Amino acid sequence: MVQAARELFAEHGFHATSIARLSERSGVLVGQIYRDFANKEAIVAALVEHDLDEFLAADELCAARCTSDRAMVRAWIARFIACDDIGDTRLIAEITAESYRNPRIAAIFDAMEDRLHGQLVRALTIIVPDAGNEQRIGRLAEAILIMAGGMCQRRINTRSTAPEVLALMMAFIDAEIAAIERDPRP
């Protein structure tokens, strides 16, 4: 059912996709859909949560955390910024647009941003574990979110970005990490 919603939202948009159309495409009865999801926003939340889980590759980050493997964490951050596996760009554009019109979808996006920020802070703390860096690590995590968001938007619009751009972003991140290691003060 969620896959049918993904396809229909991408093809027809959020508003033009009715629960009846979802039922028809998925083969799931309308009553069952409403037992599983309170409304279309709940379906969007399920889509975003699933995609975010895949995008974050949390298992990989957890493995890096357990071993304190800085190179693995850096590679995870590079993949995060590269935004190579963003999926159906039509769906992303539709849900993003809906987040500006619909406070419930906006709340889903806010929760996603908080979760992404938290994962980035955890990743950066593996690389720079010294206490006292919380503010700077938080700001660097925010900068990484902005870079990744820009890269994703670029991929939605043009579907490609030169590898040199990612290298430049990673050089900035590496320089900021080195600066935090040299002087951990806020």
Side-chain angles (χ1 to χ4, degrees):
M1 203 296 301
V2 173
Q3 183 58 34
R6 179 183 304 281
E7 294 165 4
L8 288 168
F9 290 158
E11 291 169 17
H12 304 287
F14 182 78
H15 292 284
T17 300
S18 66
I19 296 296
R21 185 178 263 179
L22 280 170
S23 173
E24 182 181 314
R25 173 74 64 94
S26 68
V28 176
L29 297 174
V30 170
Q32 183 61 47
I33 292 172
Y34 279 118
R35 276 190 288 283
D36 295 338
F37 302 98
N39 49 39
K40 283 195 290 186
E41 287 87 357
I43 296 169
V44 170
L47 288 171
V48 168
E49 188 68 28
H50 176 268
D51 290 351
L52 185 58
D53 284 343
E54 283 189 2
F55 183 69
L56 285 175
D59 292 341
E60 180 183 341
L61 183 58
C62 183
R65 196 177 311 131
C66 291
T67 62
S68 298
D69 187 335
R70 292 171 57 135
M72 187 184 288
V73 172
R74 188 186 180 285
W76 180 85
I77 291 171
R79 279 191 298 284
F80 177 78
I81 291 172
C83 203
D84 285 330
D85 301 323
I86 60 172
D88 191 334
T89 57
R90 298 172 304 164
L91 179 63
I92 293 168
E94 178 62 29
I95 292 176
T96 301
E98 186 61 24
S99 75
Y100 289 100
R101 297 184 291 259
N102 185 325
R104 289 178 288 197
I105 303 299
I108 292 166
F109 263 59
D110 289 345
M112 177 189 71
E113 284 276 326
D114 290 345
R115 187 168 167 211
L116 286 169
H117 189 271
Q119 284 286 52
L120 284 166
V121 166
R122 284 188 284 283
L124 291 167
T125 302
I126 294 168
I127 296 173
V128 187
D130 190 21
N133 300 323
E134 293 84 11
Q135 289 180 345
R136 289 182 73 186
I137 287 174
R139 287 192 302 265
L140 181 54
E142 183 67 19
I144 292 169
L145 275 175
I146 291 167
M147 286 187 270
M151 184 69 88
C152 285
Q153 185 62 46
R154 180 87 173 148
R155 291 215 186 271
I156 288 170
N157 293 338
T158 66
R159 298 196 179 30
S160 67
T161 301
E164 297 83 15
V165 173
L166 178 59
L168 182 62
M169 290 178 178
M170 289 308 297
F172 165 78
I173 291 167
D174 290 339
E176 288 301 306
I177 289 170
I180 292 170
E181 288 176 324
R182 281 192 309 275
D183 183 9
R185 292 174 293 170

